[in-house]
Amino acid sequence: MLAVAQIDYIRHEVNQKGETYASVGRKMGIDPRTVSKYANQEEFNKKEKQKRKSPVMDPVKPILDKWIKEDLKKKKKYQRTAKRMFEQLEKFHSFKGSYRTVRDYVSRRKKELTVTTVDAALPLEAIPGTAQVDFGTAPFKYQSEVIDLPYLVMSFPYSNTFYFQVFPSENTECLLEGLQRMFHHMGGVPKIIRFDNLSPAVKKIHSKGERDLTDTFERFVLHYGFKYEFCNPRKGNEKGHVEAMVKYVRNNFLLPENTILDLDQFNKTLWKQAEEDRDRPHYEKNILQSKLYKVDQENWLMLPEKEFHCARYQDVRADKYGMVTVDKKQYSTSPRFAKQLVRVCITYNTVNILNDRNEVVVKHSRLYGIKRKSMIWQPYLDLLSKRPRAIKYSSIYNQFPTIWSDYLNDCTEEEQKKALRLLGELLKNDDFSLLNEALQTASVHGHPSVDQIKHCFYTILNQNTSHTTIQPKVPLPRVPEITRGLSHYDTFFQKEDQ
């Protein structure tokens, strides 16, 4: 069909100026019969293309569509070929058509479905299998205090459903840990996920809207295969569904303050709460949200075979005490790493110190809040108990509680060995509380021995601070008052009635 401008030119030249079909055809380089057709055409309404019925292919097209959609969720190497689909149609569905017909249909439908998926990224709000993600904050009771903690929400606009998890921070590791938990609980990955410009994912936004992403986030996206989108700066309405869902979650599940004893255990209870919330009609579609959620599920990508290791690695130089600083918090390594570059593996809840073979040397719980230092004493005590003289030159005294650094300074070399071995034996969870109390009790009468400290430690540990009076089976003789000479010994042998 010719363009509208060409048809208009033909009709003007022939009908208004009286030019012949042949002359107009020569000017335009087209057949005179085509000129005649458009010059005399009466109707220009767009006609629907009639679909030809295909008694052989029509019954199997829904089957092929289902297979193609399933395969588009998988990696290319796991997708069926058109030949394999043809063989399965012949074997299981008594198909009598040709391989070429199946091949052409599969090729065309794959292109159509792929284009539909890409185009669907623009109007995200109502597309099955897509999601939006954002953080919110809510108050929680923890150790008798009320603190604000972030929670991650993934909402599904098509079904108006969601999942959420609570974390100690909004850093990259918490974001990816939350997304991964949701993917594996759901059993699939949304095709498209829209984010705000979260700093855990976006390092920098350039003038034309291009973004530099964090390395860990980029690798996470490649691992799970979803398409990501980011809102324009200061355009939170572009992810309006999750914005509303963040408020809904806070008002309906997180207020008043929940008491948290174990955050991981608390998060496990949230899956059921989110799923029970789906048993209500959609606010517009008048269908149960649980049924719409199943449509979302049908459009998700398949999970990869392995989980992603949600961690970042960082090379940090240790100070003279062997301490490294990660996100403004200090973590101990080992005295042999003092003033050296140390490789650190950081997850949402751990900070692991690695050796040159990438083996974990020290494992810390990651610090959040006001606490600024985590000290794991075992690597220091093991080394120092073998080389106690080194302690005077390592400045490690400054890391011990004051009561212990003073005690070790007053010890002989042999006493230091025994004291350090005792610390290595009794120190649990790097908590000096009981050991400090034991040393203080043992020091009441001066510089104590290691055995005295050990005895006091176990006395305190077992709360053995009271002694039961032993009742003798036979009466004991009365002890006479002290007198000079030997005569008082005779009283032990006197009879009671005398």
Side-chain angles (χ1 to χ4, degrees):
M1 182 176 176
L2 297 181
V4 173
Q6 290 175 305
I7 296 171
D8 186 58
Y9 175 77
I10 289 171
R11 292 171 70 82
H12 181 268
E13 292 295 305
V14 174
N15 298 333
Q16 302 297 322
K17 295 176 65 176
E19 295 284 344
T20 64
Y21 302 141
S23 65
V24 174
R26 282 194 299 272
K27 290 178 185 177
M28 298 182 66
I30 58 177
D31 193 290
R33 287 173 295 184
T34 303
V35 176
S36 173
K37 171 188 170 184
Y38 286 110
N40 298 301
Q41 186 169 327
E42 297 291 339
E43 188 177 356
F44 285 89
N45 291 325
K46 187 174 181 179
K47 294 181 180 180
E48 291 293 327
K49 186 177 179 181
Q50 292 185 345
K51 294 182 180 179
R52 293 173 56 190
K53 291 186 177 181
S54 174
V56 177
M57 280 298 294
D58 283 350
V60 299
K61 282 179 180 178
I63 299 169
L64 288 170
D65 285 353
K66 180 175 179 291
W67 290 349
I68 294 167
K69 288 176 181 177
E70 287 175 352
D71 284 357
L72 287 175
K73 300 176 183 179
K74 305 174 184 177
K75 292 180 180 178
K76 188 171 179 62
K77 65 180 181 178
Y78 297 139
Q79 295 178 10
R80 285 164 283 201
T81 60
K83 185 173 184 296
R84 179 61 177 157
M85 292 183 186
F86 169 69
E87 291 170 350
Q88 289 183 304
L89 287 176
E90 280 191 319
K91 185 175 181 179
F92 299 111
H93 300 279
S94 304
F95 181 66
K96 302 299 181 186
S98 67
Y99 164 62
R100 181 177 177 180
T101 309
V102 173
R103 182 194 64 194
D104 291 346
Y105 180 80
V106 169
S107 175
R108 185 178 75 255
R109 285 297 287 153
K110 276 189 176 181
K111 289 177 182 175
E112 290 172 356
L113 290 170
T114 304
V115 169
T116 301
T117 301
V118 173
D119 290 345
L122 298 175
L124 185 61
E125 280 66 24
I127 304 300
T130 62
Q132 298 180 5
V133 169
D134 202 6
F135 276 105
T137 56
F140 295 86
K141 284 183 181 177
Y142 178 70
Q143 293 183 348
S144 302
E145 292 186 14
V146 176
I147 59 173
D148 284 344
L149 290 178
Y151 58 98
L152 183 69
V153 178
M154 179 185 289
S155 72
F156 310 104
Y158 177 79
S159 58
N160 195 42
T161 57
F162 60 89
Y163 279 116
F164 68 105
Q165 292 280 279
V166 180
F167 285 96
S169 175
E170 294 185 23
N171 57 39
T172 302
E173 295 74 45
C174 289
L175 169 65
L176 301 188
E177 175 69 22
L179 291 176
Q180 181 164 258
R181 282 184 195 177
M182 293 175 190
F183 293 164
H184 286 270
H185 181 81
M186 290 153 45
V189 181
K191 293 184 295 188
I192 307 161
I193 304 178
R194 178 170 286 179
F195 300 86
D196 201 347
N197 293 287
L198 298 170
S199 58
V202 180
K203 288 191 293 188
K204 185 177 181 181
I205 304 175
H206 297 284
S207 57
K208 294 184 179 180
E210 295 180 354
R211 290 165 175 82
D212 294 334
L213 304 182
T214 60
D215 173 68
T216 315
F217 180 79
E218 280 191 306
R219 288 187 290 106
F220 182 85
V221 170
L222 289 173
H223 185 85
Y224 283 103
F226 63 89
K227 178 178 172 59
Y228 59 83
E229 292 184 341
F230 291 101
C231 299
N232 291 311
R234 297 175 295 280
K235 294 287 184 180
N237 58 297
E238 294 179 356
K239 55 175 181 57
H241 188 268
V242 74
E243 293 275 2
M245 203 57 75
V246 164
K247 295 177 183 177
Y248 181 84
V249 166
R250 183 191 296 115
N251 292 338
N252 289 275
F253 301 99
L254 301 179
L255 293 178
E257 299 90 346
N258 286 273
T259 299
I260 292 183
L261 300 176
D262 183 316
L263 187 55
D264 287 336
Q265 283 300 118
F266 177 75
N267 276 324
K268 288 178 183 177
T269 67
L270 303 182
W271 303 120
K272 186 178 180 182
Q273 293 185 48
E275 287 159 2
E276 288 177 344
D277 186 74
R278 297 176 193 151
D279 293 327
R280 56 191 175 93
H282 188 278
Y283 61 93
E284 281 183 346
K285 299 173 184 175
N286 235 5
I287 304 173
L288 277 180
Q289 292 181 171
S290 55
K291 291 184 178 180
L292 294 171
Y293 178 78
K294 290 180 180 178
V295 180
D296 269 324
Q297 283 181 306
E298 292 168 3
N299 287 276
W300 287 338
L301 305 172
M302 289 186 68
L303 286 168
E305 295 175 6
K306 297 180 180 179
E307 289 191 9
F308 182 78
H309 184 40
C310 299
R312 63 183 164 98
Y313 291 84
Q314 190 173 335
D315 292 325
V316 188
R317 187 170 295 279
D319 64 15
K320 63 182 179 180
Y321 307 119
M323 303 290 290
V324 294
T325 302
V326 176
D327 297 333
K328 299 181 180 180
K329 308 287 187 181
Q330 286 191 306
Y331 300 89
S332 66
T333 62
S334 169
R336 61 193 176 93
F337 291 150
K339 297 186 178 180
Q340 294 184 26
L341 270 181
V342 179
R343 191 149 180 79
V344 183
C345 173
I346 306 155
T347 70
Y348 86 99
N349 64 346
T350 63
V351 173
N352 297 328
I353 311 300
L354 310 178
N355 62 17
D356 53 7
R357 296 185 299 278
N358 279 332
E359 299 167 336
V360 177
V361 178
V362 184
K363 184 173 182 177
H364 294 267
S365 293
R366 188 168 178 179
L367 297 178
Y368 293 100
I370 61 173
K371 189 176 180 182
R372 302 192 64 81
K373 183 189 286 188
S374 175
M375 190 75 193
I376 304 294
W377 281 100
Q378 218 57 45
Y380 293 83
L381 298 173
D382 289 344
L383 178 66
L384 293 173
S385 64
K386 297 170 186 174
R387 297 169 52 197
R389 288 185 182 180
I391 197 170
K392 298 205 173 186
Y393 307 103
S394 67
S395 302
I396 198 65
Y397 279 135
N398 298 330
Q399 300 296 317
F400 279 104
T402 304
I403 189 172
W404 276 98
S405 60
D406 292 343
Y407 173 74
L408 289 167
N409 266 319
D410 294 337
C411 285
T412 64
E413 184 175 327
E414 192 58 36
E415 286 176 330
Q416 281 185 351
K417 284 184 181 180
K418 290 182 180 179
L420 291 167
R421 279 198 293 269
L422 179 70
L423 286 172
E425 176 188 343
L426 301 182
L427 188 62
K428 303 298 181 186
N429 301 320
D430 299 289
D431 183 0
F432 271 87
S433 301
L434 281 178
L435 283 162
N436 290 347
E437 189 177 347
L439 178 55
Q440 187 174 13
T441 303
S443 301
V444 170
H445 301 294
H447 183 79
S449 69
V450 172
D451 287 338
Q452 289 173 317
I453 299 170
K454 187 174 183 179
H455 173 75
C456 290
F457 176 85
Y458 281 112
T459 300
I460 296 167
L461 181 66
N462 299 320
Q463 295 182 338
N464 188 22
T465 55
S466 62
H467 302 280
T468 305
T469 303
I470 300 173
Q471 298 295 331
K473 293 183 179 179
V474 296
L476 294 175
R478 181 176 59 83
V479 179
E481 295 183 3
I482 298 175
T483 58
R484 291 183 178 275
L486 300 177
S487 60
H488 61 278
Y489 285 105
D490 295 336
T491 60
F492 283 108
F493 304 101
Q494 294 177 0
K495 294 181 180 179
E496 286 292 328
D497 54 357
Q498 290 182 352

